[in-house]
Amino acid sequence: MAIVKPSLAKGTRDFSPAEMEKRNYIFNTLKSVFRKYGYQEIQTPSFENLQTLTGKYGDEGDKLIFKILNSGDYLSKAPDALLAEKASNSLIPHLSEKALRYDLTVPFARYVVMRQHEISLPFKRFQIQPVWRADRPQRGRYREFYQCDVDVVGSESLLNEAEFILIYHEALRALGLRDFAIKINNRKILSGIAEIIGKPELIFDMTVAIDKLDKIGLDGVNKELLERGFTEADLAILRPIILLEGSTVSKIEQLRSVLAKSETGLRGVAELEEVFAYLNQLDVSGEVYNKYVELDITLARGLNYYTGCIFEVKTNEVSMGSIGGGGRYDDLTGMFGLKGLTGVGVSFGADRIYDVLEELDLYPKHESDNTRLLIVNFDKSIEAFTLPLLNRLRQAGIAVELYPQAVKLKKQMSYADDKRIPYVLLIGEEEVNTGKLSLKNMKSGEQQKLSEQEITVLLSKQRADSAIRTDQ
């Protein structure tokens, strides 16, 4: 067999034990917050029927779906005419019936429709799984990456939007972030702005331009709007809206005045007011509303599918794009024949959050889930004593290993250092005879003689203390 040079497929990554510990810290923190708000975890298959995914993401999105070749002689069912023409796009339905999932939203919609008679509405779910996109790999963009979605379907109540603001706040604070903005807007407000200008058909051109305000400035936005079919008179109406300033209450009052002639726009303003009213009742201290929430009229993500409130979260502590976002969508399940089921959901950018915590050095310093104790293996004769001890310590809830071979002590100690194992237990004939075992603290170098019970109590207490620090 020829030797193959090991390599990773482009756009994919390995995760070391240390990296997995950090990733699981993020996922476990998020899951604990989601569950507090009544959300339950589901998982869907890594691949779906190709027809389930195609046509849901637009032409460009469809091109990025990873198709899976049919097993066996996959060319046998392909028409000879198409094979001769080498028409790849036309051949796809004949060569592939499955595809790797592109996101978690469409599989979730499929899940809800298939289980509509089993689930209770409103249905609150969260999902943390990898997705795949045949995109061009580059820094920060991968072909395989994790999405972390939390959604509720079957409820029109804007209480859900208010709770998502609190979920963002609580989760990010639990991860150690202190300076971030939870931005909110409403799709109906953007529609209303396009209406009062008299160009409702250009809403997408308008929002694409104003969404770039942070990057290209007001002059750049004005130039792009003019290129997209707007006039100087339109810009005169838009300018004060784009540059809306003041408190949230002041912005709401200004919007109500500007949008007075747009019924759609006023509905959007009313929805935001209702969200803020819920938030102020839930957030008794007012900290979230006053410190973290920002009404941003230039926020215009996902207008192809969002129909109400829109969210985006950015950290101010690190130069980074958005670390979360989402919004209200009507008719999520309509693509599968179940009409009129409204929903709202948000996502957390797990990979970006990972990088933010790394840069800010916010990961916990303790390793509560790692091996806490290594029992040194001196020789076979001692194993009759150490193997039952190993089992009893594990039964007591302590993560412990016995080095599998009787090799040089230096090698075993290096193993403990490499795995950051805090304690090593050295057991020779004297220890077996006296019952006093030699426990070495690998950090301080201190060594003491303790009984099995004393060792169990010591390590169990440290494990409990570590768990308390994690909860805090």
Side-chain angles (χ1 to χ4, degrees):
M1 182 182 294
I3 295 175
V4 178
K5 183 181 178 180
S7 62
L8 277 171
K10 286 185 178 179
T12 64
R13 294 165 290 172
D14 287 325
F15 297 111
S16 69
E19 289 169 325
M20 282 307 304
E21 188 176 328
K22 293 174 180 178
R23 290 174 68 82
N24 285 332
Y25 166 70
I26 293 172
F27 293 148
N28 291 337
T29 300
L30 296 179
K31 287 180 180 182
S32 68
V33 174
F34 298 159
R35 290 190 177 105
K36 282 177 64 176
Y37 285 78
Y39 289 84
Q40 297 175 295
E41 185 171 18
I42 69 165
Q43 289 198 345
T44 58
S46 297
F47 58 90
E48 298 273 351
N49 290 322
L50 181 58
Q51 64 182 14
T52 297
L53 302 179
T54 50
K56 312 301 190 299
Y57 309 106
D59 292 340
E60 290 304 311
D62 282 353
K63 293 176 184 176
L64 300 182
I65 295 173
F66 269 112
K67 286 82 174 177
I68 301 172
L69 282 176
N70 293 337
S71 57
D73 187 4
Y74 55 85
L75 289 175
S76 61
K77 295 181 181 179
D80 292 337
L82 291 179
L83 286 172
E85 292 176 16
K86 296 182 179 179
S88 57
N89 287 337
S90 300
L91 275 170
I92 286 173
H94 302 282
L95 307 180
S96 173
E97 297 171 358
K98 308 285 189 298
L100 295 177
R101 61 168 171 251
Y102 177 90
D103 69 359
L104 299 179
T105 303
V106 171
F108 173 51
R110 189 263 311 149
Y111 177 97
V112 170
V113 174
M114 290 184 67
R115 296 173 178 264
Q116 59 185 289
H117 302 300
E118 303 172 26
I119 61 178
S120 298
L121 296 178
F123 181 55
K124 305 171 81 170
R125 86 79 165 90
F126 70 87
Q127 195 170 349
I128 301 176
Q129 287 187 274
V131 298
W132 294 267
R133 295 184 186 177
D135 209 348
R136 184 171 64 87
Q138 53 185 288
R139 185 178 181 274
R141 180 177 291 178
Y142 302 96
R143 287 176 169 172
E144 179 187 65
F145 57 96
Y146 271 74
Q147 285 191 338
C148 179
D149 288 6
V150 52
D151 293 78
V152 52
V153 293
S155 171
E156 297 180 355
S157 173
L158 296 175
L159 172 62
N160 298 303
E161 277 84 340
E163 289 199 332
F164 277 131
I165 293 173
L166 294 178
I167 285 173
Y168 268 132
H169 175 261
E170 186 169 341
L172 296 178
R173 292 276 297 181
L175 290 169
L177 298 181
R178 294 293 177 265
D179 186 5
F180 52 88
I182 305 169
K183 298 187 176 187
I184 185 171
N185 195 11
N186 194 292
R187 169 48 155 94
K188 295 181 180 71
I189 289 176
L190 295 169
S191 297
I193 294 170
E195 282 179 16
I196 63 169
I197 293 173
K199 292 185 169 65
E201 73 284 358
L202 293 181
I203 179 173
F204 290 106
D205 295 276
M206 179 189 80
T207 54
V208 166
I210 66 174
D211 194 41
K212 299 177 183 176
L213 182 63
D214 288 344
K215 296 178 181 177
I216 62 177
L218 183 59
D219 290 340
V221 170
N222 288 340
K223 180 182 177 184
E224 187 162 329
L225 286 169
L226 290 171
E227 291 171 352
R228 289 176 177 271
F230 291 85
T231 66
E232 289 288 353
D234 298 332
L235 298 190
I237 299 172
L238 264 176
R239 193 172 295 114
I241 302 174
I242 295 173
L243 300 178
L244 213 58
E245 292 182 345
S247 66
T248 300
V249 172
S250 173
K251 289 178 180 178
I252 288 287
E253 290 175 353
Q254 293 175 67
L255 284 171
R256 192 183 292 109
S257 174
V258 169
L259 297 170
K261 295 182 180 180
S262 169
E263 183 180 341
T264 302
L266 290 177
R267 280 206 311 273
V269 174
E271 286 181 9
L272 283 182
E273 287 184 293
E274 188 172 345
V275 171
F276 293 143
Y278 275 126
L279 181 61
N280 284 323
Q281 292 177 72
L282 291 164
D283 175 36
V284 179
S285 69
E287 179 190 16
V288 179
Y289 176 79
N290 292 314
K291 185 177 179 181
Y292 293 96
V293 175
E294 178 185 336
L295 172 52
D296 184 355
I297 298 305
T298 67
L299 176 57
R301 62 185 291 151
L303 292 191
N304 286 323
Y305 40 90
Y306 291 141
T307 55
C309 288
I310 311 167
F311 298 100
E312 185 170 83
V313 181
K314 291 190 174 183
T315 174
N316 300 317
E317 297 175 81
V318 172
S319 179
M320 180 71 67
S322 65
I323 58 174
R328 165 74 62 171
Y329 43 77
D330 291 334
D331 205 25
L332 167 72
T333 55
M335 64 181 86
F336 297 114
L338 182 59
K339 297 291 185 181
L341 196 62
T342 185
V344 58
V346 298
S347 66
F348 285 75
D351 290 303
R352 286 187 173 180
I353 291 172
Y354 181 101
D355 292 338
V356 170
L357 300 192
E358 188 77 34
E359 188 167 336
L360 297 176
D361 193 25
L362 290 177
Y363 289 104
K365 299 299 185 289
H366 54 278
E367 297 89 28
S368 59
D369 294 331
N370 287 354
T371 301
R372 304 297 297 163
L373 176 68
L374 174 70
I375 302 177
V376 169
N377 192 333
F378 281 117
D379 56 50
K380 279 282 184 183
S381 65
I382 304 296
E383 283 187 0
F385 178 87
T386 55
L387 288 172
L389 170 65
L390 179 71
N391 185 58
R392 290 194 297 271
L393 290 170
R394 286 174 176 165
Q395 292 299 314
I398 297 166
V400 55
E401 296 179 45
L402 169 66
Y403 198 85
Q405 297 163 273
V407 297
K408 289 182 179 180
L409 180 61
K410 182 179 179 181
K411 185 173 183 178
Q412 298 188 53
M413 300 300 264
S414 294
Y415 176 81
D417 272 334
D418 291 343
K419 289 194 70 174
R420 296 178 294 165
I421 300 173
Y423 290 96
V424 167
L425 196 59
L426 301 103
I427 304 174
E429 288 186 12
E430 179 186 339
E431 284 78 11
V432 172
N433 292 331
T434 64
K436 290 291 186 178
L437 313 180
S438 299
L439 183 71
K440 181 172 182 176
N441 185 316
M442 293 296 287
K443 187 174 183 180
S444 68
E446 178 188 357
Q447 192 164 309
Q448 53 186 323
K449 297 275 191 177
L450 298 174
S451 67
E452 177 184 335
Q453 183 179 0
E454 289 171 327
I455 291 169
T456 302
V457 170
L458 173 67
L459 296 181
S460 296
K461 182 178 184 304
Q462 289 191 350
R463 179 170 173 266
D465 291 344
S466 180
I468 291 171
R469 288 195 298 271
T470 301
D471 290 341
Q472 291 174 341

